Amino acid sequence: MSTSQFNILELTIPSYHAALIQGKTSCSEVIRQYLARITQHDPTLKSLISINTKALDTAIKKDSETIHHLQNKVPLPPLHGVPIILKDNYTTSNLPTSAGTKALQHLHTNQDSEVVTHLLNAGAIILAKANLHELALQGTTTSSLGQTLNPYDLSRTPGGSSGGTAAALAANLGLVGCGTDTMNSLRSPASACGIVGFRPSTGQVSCVGIVPVSETQDVAGPMGRTVGDVRILYDVMRKKKRPEFVCEKPLRVGVLDAYFDLDLDVGCSQEVIAENIIVQRVVRNALDVVQGGLDINLVPVDCDPTWALSNLLANADTQPFEFRDCLDAFLQSPCILSTPYRSLQSIAESGEFDREAVTEVFYAALQEPDIYSRTTKEYQSRLGTITALKKSVRQYFHKYNIDVMVYPHQRQLVVNVGATRQPNRNGVLAAVTGNPAICIPAGFGPSTASAPRGIPIGIELMGRHGYDDDLLDVAARFEQILRARKAPL
């Protein structure tokens, strides 16, 4: 078997499996190459928290399985030998699960999360676990275990909270990855790192065994360099056979113009205003390119006033009401084999976390339990707001007769290292309504000394609830025309 010339850069699952079938590479050779790249690049990027020391041994066993499958003319399992980067809030029985905080860096479980079980049953190899924003509470991947850097510009963050996974995939340190999304966390780092991040419809993928933030808003989802890989991974995560690609009808795409402009009422610096102009130009140009290459109608959509970001954050976000209960229930669950802390209160008292990285969600129920709990009128009010938002989004899809809604994922570029908040992100609407949403590369900002290729800018598409496959079809068609993914220099 000749493997010396095989190139793993920008490798996809189909091309990898084709190479295995043709004898051009092996699972162990691919793992060795990824491990070598991790050794070379991750000391700078700081995208990973732990490496699976048994990954190569597993790959060697997969090589024997490859031979068996080929000799018996049995198709390879969908993730056979695929090296996966897991966000470090997915529990794994053979590796600790930190949730990006020093307090939990020695947390061990006696079983894998349900998604990880699906991945392993489909033949995957867990290569490493990635850094995330402290307890997955914001969008710069700043944690007490390290600050992940953006591979396109080492002076900037990679977005978040699934920023370690995104940075690793962007830099070709793994083939595909898994993240989570409570507000923006799969799509924000996808936008910032030039990859694909997919937030499925709420309830499509099990969150059992994943360190929680909000029962109402949490989802687990796939990340990759292509929509095709994301779809293969998603089908395993939800354990459902992928339907045939059938979405070839003319598309009606609703453009949320209000999600392009900055909310100048809250005050913005000249730098942010300039960045917004760049973002708008890149995303508008991407839409023009797609319209020129597809049978597509772009339909301007006047947003319901309740969709304003300020309203969603103030009146729909359930995180501060659910975080303490959800985290405490997880830490006290039977799957926990060992951890020094069994509650949010004990973590807070330990001081083993980054105080600047955590948000008001961390403190809310600790400081004002009479307000921030699931028994209050304010919490019920937020659930009522979410119900109204879901109805409003359904009505707009019907009113404009559109297949998807489109907008930039964020209205400014990803922030510089040192900032612990990423403002002006548009992913909240999908997060609170539970609609599926996907972010794919749209292009790059201008080249600079620290970003020779420019800063990646993502375009987000939101679909109807439960129509995940239709949304993935549309995203694949956009990607095929745009071809905007470029590896960092």
Side-chain angles (χ1 to χ4, degrees), residues 8-34:
I8 65 168
L9 295 182
E10 301 298 287
L11 186 63
T12 66
I13 295 173
S15 61
Y16 173 36
H17 280 181
L20 290 176
I21 292 169
Q22 295 162 13
K24 294 180 178 179
T25 192
S26 64
C27 298
S28 54
E29 172 60 21
V30 166
I31 290 292
R32 287 190 183 96
Q33 288 199 48
Y34 277 123

Side-chain angles (χ1 to χ4, degrees), residues 8-9 33-42 171-173:
I8 65 168
L9 295 182
Q33 288 199 48
Y34 277 123
L35 289 172
R37 287 189 61 80
I38 289 170
T39 300
Q40 179 181 4
H41 296 291
D42 203 56
N172 285 277
L173 307 188

Side-chain angles (χ1 to χ4, degrees), residues 132-180:
L132 59 148
H133 196 97
E134 193 92 12
L135 291 165
L137 293 180
Q138 242 293 331
T140 64
T141 309
T142 305
S143 84
S144 49
L145 297 176
Q147 169 68 69
T148 301
L149 305 182
N150 191 311
Y152 292 88
D153 184 344
L154 298 178
S155 71
R156 292 182 184 262
T157 76
S161 62
S162 309
T165 309
L169 295 179
N172 285 277
L173 307 188
L175 211 166
V176 290
C178 295
T180 59

Side-chain angles (χ1 to χ4, degrees), residues 103-115:
L104 300 180
Q105 64 181 325
H106 300 300
L107 184 148
H108 288 268
T109 58
N110 54 25
Q111 60 192 48
D112 299 321
S113 65
E114 286 193 5
V115 166

Side-chain angles (χ1 to χ4, degrees), residues 80-92:
H80 177 73
V82 172
I84 290 183
I85 306 289
L86 283 180
K87 186 177 184 178
D88 199 23
N89 58 352
Y90 284 73
T91 56
T92 45

